[in-house]
Amino acid sequence: MTPTQIKRYARHLVLKEIGGPGQNKLLGSRLVIVGAGGLGGPAALYAAAAGIGHITIIDDDAVDISNLQRQIQFSLKDLEQPKAQILTHKLAALNSDLTLKTHNVRLTKETAHHLLEDHDIIMDGTDSFETRFLINQASYDLKIPLISGALGRFDGHVGLFNSSVEAPCYQCFVPDIPPNAETCSDVGVVGAIAGVIGSLMALETVKHITGAGQSLEGHIYLYDGLKTQGRRVGLPKDLNCSICNSPK
């Protein structure tokens, strides 16, 4: 590391769980984030600040005034601009160590493998079950670990999937699209919960890359904002899962 990097990452370097070896792993890692909104925004900012050396942002949406209630990476001057491009500019301004790539496109079945390959970890901040299933399938096929988060009202959760042969995939957790699935626009969401869950996604990403602490493999972390209460729940691999236990 350069003298500037040693100063920048000093608070990581004194942590025995990260230190110099862990920081070098972060600087050498490649993260792809699908979704530049409520979860992807804070997660990307903390991942960039942590020094994850290569970050790719994928999102085809534009900034809307309704986003500003929770997507604090954007401001009024960003309205109607591409989310992925604006977020990438914010990351570049935050940390010049980074190599950044932007895809102002929607991830599809035809493009998922191409867009997600050549990364060390995938972060899913989307709000569509169809897209989450596409990301999970590609993550499993490419053998790239997946950090996934979701939120609504005052609640949220985070999970780590496809991180080993023994680990569950996202569809061990959600086998099928729930009937009458609701979105944040349907049920509402308090803005700050996006920061809580997005930050937890970034934390789990840093832990996974550096090997710090106990990962969420085989577990889901559930957070209840109204009670200010969280719990870690076991998630075993589903032996009937159509993705990770399907006949080859």
Side-chain angles (χ1 to χ4, degrees):
M1 280 180 278
T2 67
T4 299
Q5 287 175 323
I6 290 172
K7 188 172 183 179
R8 173 184 279 273
Y9 305 117
R11 271 58 172 185
H12 275 177
L13 298 179
V14 297
L15 292 171
K16 64 181 178 61
E17 295 88 352
I18 297 180
Q23 188 60 53
N24 279 319
K25 288 179 181 178
L26 291 169
L27 290 166
S29 291
R30 300 172 61 88
L31 166 68
V32 55
I33 303 175
V34 188
L39 294 176
L45 289 168
Y46 273 111
I52 294 178
H54 182 113
I55 299 178
T56 300
I57 306 292
I58 302 171
D59 196 310
D60 72 331
D61 200 8
V63 181
D64 183 80
I65 195 167
S66 65
N67 301 145
L68 303 185
Q69 170 255 5
R70 64 202 174 281
Q71 299 179 22
I72 59 172
Q73 67 273 27
F74 305 127
S75 60
L76 285 169
K77 67 181 179 62
D78 301 322
L79 292 178
E80 300 183 5
Q81 301 300 308
K83 285 185 179 181
Q85 183 175 325
I86 296 300
L87 179 55
T88 300
H89 289 164
K90 298 290 173 67
L91 302 184
L94 175 63
N95 193 341
S96 59
D97 285 342
L98 310 182
T99 298
L100 298 165
K101 185 177 290 188
T102 306
H103 295 290
N104 295 309
V105 299
R106 179 174 292 274
L107 188 137
T108 66
K109 183 177 181 180
E110 291 72 30
T111 63
H113 283 68
H114 172 68
L115 291 172
L116 300 179
E117 65 184 359
D118 297 326
H119 292 89
D120 301 307
I121 191 162
I122 300 165
M123 193 182 287
D124 176 8
T126 65
D127 60 2
S128 157
F129 282 105
E130 291 89 347
T131 305
R132 290 173 187 165
F133 287 178
L134 284 177
I135 295 169
N136 178 63
Q137 180 72 69
S139 163
Y140 177 76
D141 292 343
L142 296 168
K143 297 180 172 58
I144 302 174
L146 168 64
I147 301 278
S148 182
L151 49 77
R153 299 184 176 91
F154 288 84
D155 307 321
H157 66 255
V158 180
L160 169 64
F161 306 98
N162 302 321
S163 52
S164 71
V165 175
E166 295 79 20
C169 77
Y170 179 78
Q171 282 183 249
C172 291
F173 176 47
V174 183
D176 300 294
I177 297 176
N180 303 316
E182 298 174 318
T183 66
C184 289
S185 61
D186 299 320
V187 301
V189 61
V190 63
I193 198 72
V196 172
I197 302 302
S199 296
L200 284 171
M201 292 170 68
L203 176 60
E204 289 304 314
T205 299
V206 169
K207 286 169 55 185
H208 180 77
I209 292 170
T210 63
Q214 187 175 2
S215 81
L216 276 175
E217 178 175 312
H219 294 81
I220 298 291
Y221 181 77
L222 306 171
Y223 182 75
D224 182 336
L226 282 177
K227 295 180 180 178
T228 318
Q229 188 175 81
R231 59 194 179 104
R232 179 183 170 104
V233 178
L235 177 69
K237 194 177 179 77
D238 183 354
L239 298 181
N240 297 310
C241 178
S242 62
I243 303 299
C244 64
N245 270 308
S246 61
K248 298 296 186 289

